[in-house]
Amino acid sequence: TLVGGRRRGRWTALGVSSSNVVQGAAAAFGVSAIIVRVQPLFEAVKWAGVGYLAYLGAQAVRSALRGQYQPLDEATSKTRSLAGWRQGFISNITNPKVLVFYLAVLPQFLTPGAGLGWLLALAWGHAVLGLTYQQALVTGLHGARRLLMRRKVRRGLDATTGAVLLGFSAKLATAHV
């Protein structure tokens, strides 16, 4: 939202929620349980997440070091919107903790013998609630965009975001999920 505007932010939120729909369905159909139990497969998801977080962190740090930013404009192409969706989807689908979340939390809200429909409803309900929250966040960030896009503020945000993403990447790499 800060970099690409409201439209890009909305598409990024949609990408995150789309991956929640996929992960929720995977949990409901038992695929997540297989992924978590087959250690090499789970490790592959984990390391994809580590790599993607490190990539995003390095991009943010590089942006902070360069300090060259394009002026604000709301005109975003379909390509930039698709890039926002892709970034949201990939960042969430490669997060192994989301798979574990769906496996650990969703069953607690079901009665014994609940069918697949209830699992899907809970999982997709979570995706819709997440999308609603993220859209509100996009609206709020867009309102603060002029202030936050000042060069000095933006460099600080990029440096902090990059350091945090690199830290998350390192934490995920060393975590025993």
Side-chain angles (χ1 to χ4, degrees), residues 13-29 32 85 89 92-93 98-99 102 106 119-131:
L14 189 60
V16 170
S17 293
S18 298
S19 73
N20 282 342
V21 167
V22 170
Q23 289 167 318
F29 285 103
S32 294
W85 180 87
F89 187 86
N92 203 51
I93 203 81
V98 176
L99 289 173
Y102 280 118
L106 288 183
L119 273 171
L120 289 172
L122 284 173
W124 293 347
H126 173 257
V128 169
L129 288 172
L131 180 61

Side-chain angles (χ1 to χ4, degrees), residues 1-85:
T1 300
L2 294 177
V3 175
R6 185 187 332 231
R7 181 179 174 147
R8 172 98 183 237
R10 293 199 186 288
W11 277 96
T12 302
L14 189 60
V16 170
S17 293
S18 298
S19 73
N20 282 342
V21 167
V22 170
Q23 289 167 318
F29 285 103
V31 176
S32 294
I34 294 169
I35 292 171
V36 170
R37 287 188 182 233
V38 178
Q39 196 62 29
L41 187 55
F42 186 74
E43 288 291 320
V45 171
K46 173 185 166 179
W47 286 103
V50 167
Y52 194 64
L53 284 174
Y55 167 76
L56 292 176
Q59 277 189 320
V61 169
R62 186 183 71 209
S63 178
L65 292 174
R66 285 186 180 163
Q68 297 172 345
Y69 301 105
Q70 295 179 356
L72 291 177
D73 67 351
E74 252 324 290
T76 57
S77 67
K78 286 184 179 181
T79 305
R80 289 183 67 193
S81 297
L82 180 61
W85 180 87

